[in-house]
Amino acid sequence: MLTIEQIISTLNIDNDSIFPREALEHAVLQKEVITPALLTIIDTITEDPELLESNPAFIYALYLLAQFREARAYPVIARYFRELGLEDEALDPTGDTVTEDLNSILASVCQGDLSLIKQLIEDQSVNEYVRTAALGALIILYNTDQLSRESLVSYMGGLLEHCLKQEEDPFFVATLVCNACSIYPRELYLLLDECFQQDLVYEEVISKAHLEDYMKMDKATVLAELKENRQYQLINNVITEMAWWSCFHPKANADFEHDSTGNVGRNDPCFCGSGKKYKKCCLQ
C-alpha cells in the first residue's frame, strides 16, 4: 500500500502522458486518511493560483474530493473557479476540467447547499464557462433526484426573466436554453421563445429550430436521454472519469487531430468538444 506521501508525490509528477492509476486507486482505499491532505492542496492553490503549475495534484484532488462527496471542499472549489477571470485563457491551467467536469464536481461536493452554485451562475464577473458549469450542476442534481423539477424550473424561469430585462452574455443565455431543453422545455417555452425573439441567444450554440425540435419530443424520451447522458452525472469513480483523457493517449489523440482538423475553420467550434472556437483551442 502506498503511503499518503507517496500518493501525493506521484500525483505531483509533471507528466500528463502517464495516468497515475495506482496512486489514485490507493488514494480511494485510504479516503479518510488522505482527505485532509487533498483539502490542503486545493486550499493552497486557491490562496495562490500561481502554485498550480508546479502542483498538478490539484486536478486529481478535485476529482477525488468529488468522489468522496467532501462538503468541506465545496467553498474552496467555488472560490477558486469564481476568481479565474473572464478571458478564455484563464481556463488553461486546469485543462478541460471546467468545460468537461466542473458541473459534476460542484454537484458532487455541494451536499444540497445550492447557494455557492447559484452565486457562480448569477455573477456576471465570473468566467462564462464556469457559470455554464454551475448551471449544469443544477441539472445534475435534478437528474440524480436531489433537486425537484418544480424548484429547478422556477429558478431557471427567474434566470430567463432576468435575461429579458437586463443585458446578459448571449453565450450564457444560449447555455441556459440548452439546459432548459435537456430537462424538457415545456414550462419555460414562452420565456425561451422571447429570448430568441429579442435576439439574446448566441445561435451558434443553439438555434430556435433546435428548441422547436425538443418541443416536439416526448417528455419521457427527453428525460430518459438525460438520465443516460454522461455530462450530467456525479463523479463516482475517479479512474473512469480521468483515464480516457486524451493527454493520457497521445498517439490516439494525434491520429484524431490529423483526421479531424482538415474541415475545421478557425472560428468553428473546436473538434475536441471544449466549447471554444478552434482558433482559441487546439489550433494554438
Side-chain angles (χ1 to χ4, degrees), residues 37-264:
L38 299 175
L39 289 169
T40 296
I41 290 170
I42 66 168
D43 187 61
T44 299
I45 301 304
T46 298
E47 290 294 332
D48 189 354
E50 292 187 2
L51 295 175
L52 177 55
E53 186 174 351
S54 58
N55 290 271
F58 175 76
I59 305 298
Y60 298 107
L62 294 177
Y63 284 82
L64 285 166
L65 291 166
Q67 180 175 334
F68 297 164
R69 306 290 186 265
E70 181 50 66
R72 288 173 291 178
Y74 181 37
V76 184
I77 293 171
R79 178 187 166 192
Y80 175 83
F81 288 102
R82 183 176 66 244
E83 297 176 355
L84 272 188
L86 290 171
E87 64 279 1
D88 287 353
E89 291 74 16
L91 276 60
D92 293 346
T94 53
D96 292 334
T97 301
V98 171
T99 53
E100 289 288 339
D101 291 321
L102 181 57
N103 55 353
S104 299
I105 291 169
L106 289 170
S108 296
V109 298
C110 74
Q111 293 295 310
D113 177 6
L114 306 184
S115 60
L116 299 180
I117 291 174
K118 289 182 176 180
Q119 286 177 24
L120 292 174
I121 294 169
E122 297 165 16
D123 189 346
Q124 292 186 348
S125 70
V126 171
N127 186 284
E128 61 186 357
Y129 293 103
V130 174
R131 296 180 71 196
T132 297
L135 183 59
L138 297 184
I139 307 299
I140 291 172
L141 293 171
Y142 166 69
N143 199 33
T144 55
D145 302 318
Q146 298 179 68
L147 179 63
S148 72
R149 182 176 185 83
E150 180 181 9
S151 297
L152 178 58
V153 168
S154 175
Y155 180 69
M156 293 181 72
L159 290 175
L160 288 166
E161 289 173 352
H162 173 80
C163 292
L164 291 167
K165 295 175 183 177
Q166 304 289 332
E167 183 177 354
E168 182 55 274
D169 178 6
F171 178 84
F172 177 75
V173 181
T175 59
L176 184 53
V177 176
C178 288
N179 281 284
C181 287
S182 73
I183 65 168
Y184 189 70
R186 174 68 64 184
E187 300 100 317
L188 298 167
Y189 177 76
L190 293 178
L191 292 170
L192 295 168
D193 181 58
E194 186 64 24
C195 285
F196 279 105
Q197 289 188 38
Q198 293 192 26
D199 198 26
L200 303 179
V201 184
Y202 182 52
E203 293 201 41
E204 288 189 30
V205 174
I206 187 169
S207 67
K208 177 67 183 306
H210 195 173
L211 170 63
E212 297 299 339
D213 287 342
Y214 267 91
M215 289 295 296
K216 296 173 185 176
M217 294 177 68
D218 176 69
K219 179 179 179 180
T221 299
V222 174
L223 296 184
E225 290 180 356
L226 179 64
K227 282 289 185 184
E228 298 300 318
N229 192 329
R230 182 203 163 274
Q231 293 183 326
Y232 293 110
Q233 307 296 332
L234 298 170
I235 302 292
N236 292 314
N237 187 317
V238 66
I239 305 296
T240 57
E241 292 291 343
M242 303 183 75
W244 64 272
W245 286 7
S246 60
C247 62
F248 300 126
H249 307 277
K251 183 182 185 303
N253 190 45
D255 292 342
F256 177 71
E257 288 189 24
H258 177 75
D259 293 340
S260 302
T261 56
N263 297 319
V264 181

